[in-house]
Amino acid sequence: MTAIDPGHPNRFEGLSEAEAARRLRQDGPNALPNRRWLGWLRLLWNIVTEPMFVMLLIATAIYAAIGDAGEAALLLASVAIVMLITLVQEFRTQGALRALRELAAPLAHVVRDGNERPLPVAGIVRGDVVMLREGDRVPADGVLLDDIVMLDESLLTGESVAVKHTATERRDIKAGTLVVAGHGHMEVTATGSATALGMIGASLASEGTPSPLQRKAARAVRVLALIAMAFAALVAGLAWWWDGLAPLDAALAGIALAMAILPEEVPVVLTVFYALGARRIARRGVLTRRLSAVETMGAVSVLAVDKTGTLTQNRMALVRLVDATGIAHEAAGVLDDRAVDVLHAACEATPPTSMDPTDAAVRTLAETVPRLAATGAVAAHAVREFPVGDGRMFVSRVIAGSDGTTWHIATKGAIENVLPLCRLDEATAASFTALAMELAAEGFRMLAVARSTTNAGAPLVDPSVQPHTVVGLLALADPLRADVPAAMAECRAAGIRVLMITGDHPATAGAIARKAGLRGESLLTGAEIASLDDNALDIRLREVDACARVLPAQKLRLVRSLQRQGHVVGMTGDGVNDAPALRAADVGVAMGERGSDVAREAADLVLLNDSFASLVMSIRLGRRIFDNVHGAVRFISAAHVPIVILALVPLLMQRSPLLLPAQIVLLEMIIDPACSIVFEATPASDDVMRRPPRAVDDSPFRAAILARGLIDGAGAGVVLALAYIALVLSAVPVREASLTVFLGLFACVVTLVVTGQRRVADRNVGTSWTYALLLFAAAVIMAVAFLPGVHDLMGFAAPGWSTAFVPPLCVLLTVAWLRWPAAAMAIRRRWRRGAGAHGRVRTTDP
């Protein structure tokens, strides 16, 4: 049993750090067994069942059957290279996801050496004392040492009804269960695979399911694979019947065409882009729990955000105390007895272990007052607590009197909810309300404090029925974050509406909204929300930028209302009651510093620093990722067209195939890295946050995007086909012509990368990855063209005059093809300006 220290504020000594380290070495981390090897086996199976891989193996078998050992060996090497590329890309993706999981690892509050501190769940050991609070996920098996908690055990039992646990019962608490009410200390009895959860092999973490766009891409590739196989069979038959090729050579021609058609890079591109994009966002303080959120971020049109901690610094300070006579006292000065009495009542109404910034501000000031610190008022133990909820906008705590027969009730909360408990006359209530409004208009958060005493035989079940006496008011300040106004301006430029939501007084909310750059004159209150039907709420919500006195349960109605109006909603939240709204929002965002485990599990993103500016930054990065996916998909559709054309033209001319499977694989070695490295690393365009949000159903697989890619590729394909025909008519040797056209194709693919990447970035410079790709392409060209062993193995001859002349010409013509629409538009604009100027001059002639 863990030692109990009655004199220590935490009451529990806990383990020493040295003993905890020894037990961690002995038992291992508090985590379920890592079965990553199953993931790699699944990955290898996915690779060998890919259509491209299957076609490579078939081609290898054909080369071996016709006795071409060199080509067979080359294709086997190509198979190994394709596997290596896929594994490297998967390693990058898994590394990104693993880093995200480490960032997402929940924290528990553990007592070590008598001090409570946050600790990653994986570091918990047997014998640790863990603090359980409402909204926490129980990190290990254990027994309750004090107080009472209500646990949702549905993860293990399937029963949705919360189960009550008390320290006297000493019933086992299971890892994975959820604290839905109460708080207390738990001693850990089992960790990791020794827990009940570990024994049944459950997993609390997953990498998520494919996003809708990923599913669409996979489905498109499967359809194209069937089409490619059908075309392969057709072309093989034509090559055998029309061109008179041997059956195995005809089969190779068909396989080459199928490989040219199949865009097998698309699913890999989406996975890599989303995973690396999520990791890029995580470096800036935003954790992506579901990869599909990256896809949705660029479409967010409304951000519904909490005021406290998101727009403000979450550094609440108690600035003024107003006593029962209406006199205000500066907290920074010397407090007289009346001010101390207000602070004492506020302490009694504050849970000692609460992480709420307002409660922390009350405790911080109280600890500086010797009289309160000496009497233990800061950590007053309550026999019953009534938190915010069930229509209450206040907290009440029941404390046993020293005589054992009386109960003292301390209440703290919204002024309009606390003052009615005090049965004040109309003039006194109006005076307190006016004073509170005056201070709230300055941006202070205002709370009322009241007390009551009863001789009832048992603690109350409803504090609102007990008459209270007003003790005073609290004025708290939470400064606006310095970067909020600039982030708000960026949202306005990007067409994103920001809706501030708070439980504060309307006057306080209005003052903070105006400082943040929002309209604070007309606010929607929680009372109004409750009184309006859905249609009226939709109309009213269009007129406001801020909502005040909102209960957590009302956030769901706000989300639904915004979605009915056609908005894509990003919603922030931190509490257990925020979970339904976070789940309903298109992008739910949980607070990392002060959010509950329930909120994090319901959310798509977690703000590690709770900063609004970080949230806006994630939208900027989300738009960048989506733009870069557009560029990559356009490039993929363009790069495959000339390969298909060059696979068909020789067959139509009744000549031997120009492109062989090994040569197409070499091209794939450019297309794959170009997509997963060059396009992913492309910087955001300058106007990425100066355009309205995209439609939620927008897709990089739109017909317009694919058509533009096909047109780009068709230009390059026609140029290369004409070059091939010219070489044939010029009686250039077949193997030299093959080398010339292949190098031209290789150079055109690189040209499509460079021009496409620049088009996405909307600037005339490339990334460092672009230059690295150019160097790699140059090295490949030099090896294929000038190393005898290499070009012999690839079926090419030594370079001749055509090799030096034709590829550069193909590149120039391809660039001209890609640039002529922009050039034509510029000429047209210049002609229009000239015509307009000429027309204006003519109208001035008499």
Side-chain angles (χ1 to χ4, degrees), residues 50-70:
E50 279 288 328
M52 181 68 73
F53 192 88
V54 172
M55 286 185 285
L56 279 173
L57 290 180
I58 295 174
T60 303
I62 292 174
Y63 276 120
I66 62 178
D68 194 335

Side-chain angles (χ1 to χ4, degrees), residues 99-100 103-104 277-289 297 309-310 481 483 572 589-594 600 604-621:
L100 296 181
L103 286 172
R279 188 173 185 179
R280 197 184 298 277
I281 292 175
R283 294 195 189 107
R284 305 288 295 275
V286 182
L287 170 64
T288 305
R289 295 193 69 251
M297 285 304 295
T310 306
R481 290 181 184 263
D483 52 7
T572 68
V589 184
M591 302 295 104
E593 291 184 349
R594 58 190 172 87
R600 294 190 190 98
D604 302 295
L605 303 179
V606 178
L607 281 182
L608 300 179
N609 55 10
D610 292 4
S611 170
F612 176 73
S614 295
L615 184 59
V616 176
M617 176 277 307
S618 71
I619 294 177
R620 186 187 312 119
L621 287 178

Side-chain angles (χ1 to χ4, degrees), residues 123-248:
I124 292 175
V125 299
R126 287 179 300 107
D128 264 330
V129 175
V130 178
M131 180 63 194
L132 300 178
R133 298 184 176 91
E134 181 180 345
D136 288 350
R137 181 73 69 180
V138 177
D141 287 1
V143 293
L144 195 65
L145 299 177
D146 63 356
D147 294 324
I148 300 171
V149 294
M150 300 290 291
L151 297 180
D152 176 359
E153 300 178 347
S154 58
L155 180 67
L156 297 175
T157 66
E159 296 293 335
S160 59
V161 179
V163 179
K164 180 179 179 181
H165 288 256
T166 65
T168 56
E169 295 173 341
R170 297 197 58 80
R171 288 190 292 126
D172 289 343
I173 294 177
K174 304 299 184 183
T177 56
L178 180 66
V179 182
V180 296
H183 55 77
H185 291 85
M186 179 192 81
E187 181 180 7
V188 174
T189 57
T191 61
S193 56
T195 63
L197 188 64
M199 289 179 182
I200 63 174
S203 174
L204 294 179
S206 66
E207 293 169 10
T209 57
S211 70
L213 191 56
Q214 287 174 308
R215 290 194 292 270
K216 290 179 184 177
R219 187 162 52 248
V221 170
R222 286 195 297 270
V223 172
L224 285 173
L226 295 176
I227 295 174
M229 293 297 185
F231 266 98
L234 178 62
V235 167
L238 288 174
W240 172 65
W241 174 72
W242 174 259
D243 292 338
L245 294 179
L248 292 179

Side-chain angles (χ1 to χ4, degrees), residues 605-846:
L605 303 179
V606 178
L607 281 182
L608 300 179
N609 55 10
D610 292 4
S611 170
F612 176 73
S614 295
L615 184 59
V616 176
M617 176 277 307
S618 71
I619 294 177
R620 186 187 312 119
L621 287 178
R623 290 186 175 192
R624 164 191 165 176
I625 290 167
F626 198 82
D627 285 351
N628 290 350
V629 171
H630 270 234
V633 170
R634 178 173 174 176
F635 163 70
I636 290 170
S637 60
H640 281 264
V641 173
I643 303 176
V644 172
I645 290 175
L646 290 179
L648 287 174
V649 168
L651 297 177
L652 297 176
M653 296 175 65
Q654 293 187 320
R655 301 181 68 87
S656 299
L658 179 63
L659 295 178
L660 299 176
Q663 298 162 5
I664 294 177
V665 168
L666 187 60
L667 290 169
E668 296 288 342
M669 291 173 59
I670 281 289
I671 296 176
D672 277 349
C675 293
S676 62
I677 297 177
V678 175
F679 282 96
E680 194 280 328
T682 301
S685 59
D686 293 334
D687 68 340
V688 70
M689 290 297 282
R690 293 200 299 269
R691 59 178 187 252
R694 66 175 177 86
V696 69
D697 58 349
D698 190 9
S699 166
F701 303 106
R702 291 198 328 264
I705 298 295
L706 297 177
R708 291 172 64 186
L710 294 176
I711 291 172
D712 290 347
V718 169
V719 168
L720 290 165
L722 292 175
Y724 173 70
I725 294 171
L727 291 173
V728 170
L729 295 177
S730 302
V732 174
V734 174
R735 288 163 65 91
E736 180 184 330
S738 295
L739 173 65
T740 298
V741 176
F742 177 80
L743 294 181
L745 174 60
F746 200 90
C748 285
V749 169
V750 174
T751 301
L752 289 172
V753 174
V754 175
T755 56
Q757 188 257 344
R758 287 179 176 176
R759 186 180 296 114
V760 171
D762 196 23
R763 55 185 71 179
N764 293 323
V765 295
T767 66
S768 58
W769 286 109
T770 307
Y771 305 125
L773 178 69
L774 291 174
L775 290 175
F776 173 70
V780 171
I781 290 174
M782 295 294 288
V784 171
F786 297 105
L787 293 180
V790 176
H791 60 62
D792 290 341
L793 189 62
M794 297 290 293
F796 297 137
W801 67 267
S802 63
T803 309
F805 175 72
V806 174
L809 179 61
C810 290
V811 170
L812 290 176
L813 292 175
T814 299
V815 171
W817 172 261
L818 295 173
R819 295 303 187 191
W820 77 261
M825 190 174 294
I827 294 172
R828 185 179 181 184
R829 283 198 300 265
R830 184 174 298 180
W831 180 83
R832 284 183 172 180
R833 285 198 299 269
H838 182 67
R840 286 193 298 272
V841 171
R842 273 195 312 180
T843 56
T844 59
D845 291 341

Side-chain angles (χ1 to χ4, degrees), residues 257-271:
L257 178 63
M259 293 173 65
I261 294 174
L262 186 63
E264 51 88 26
E265 308 89 355
V266 173
V268 176
V269 164
L270 292 179
T271 301

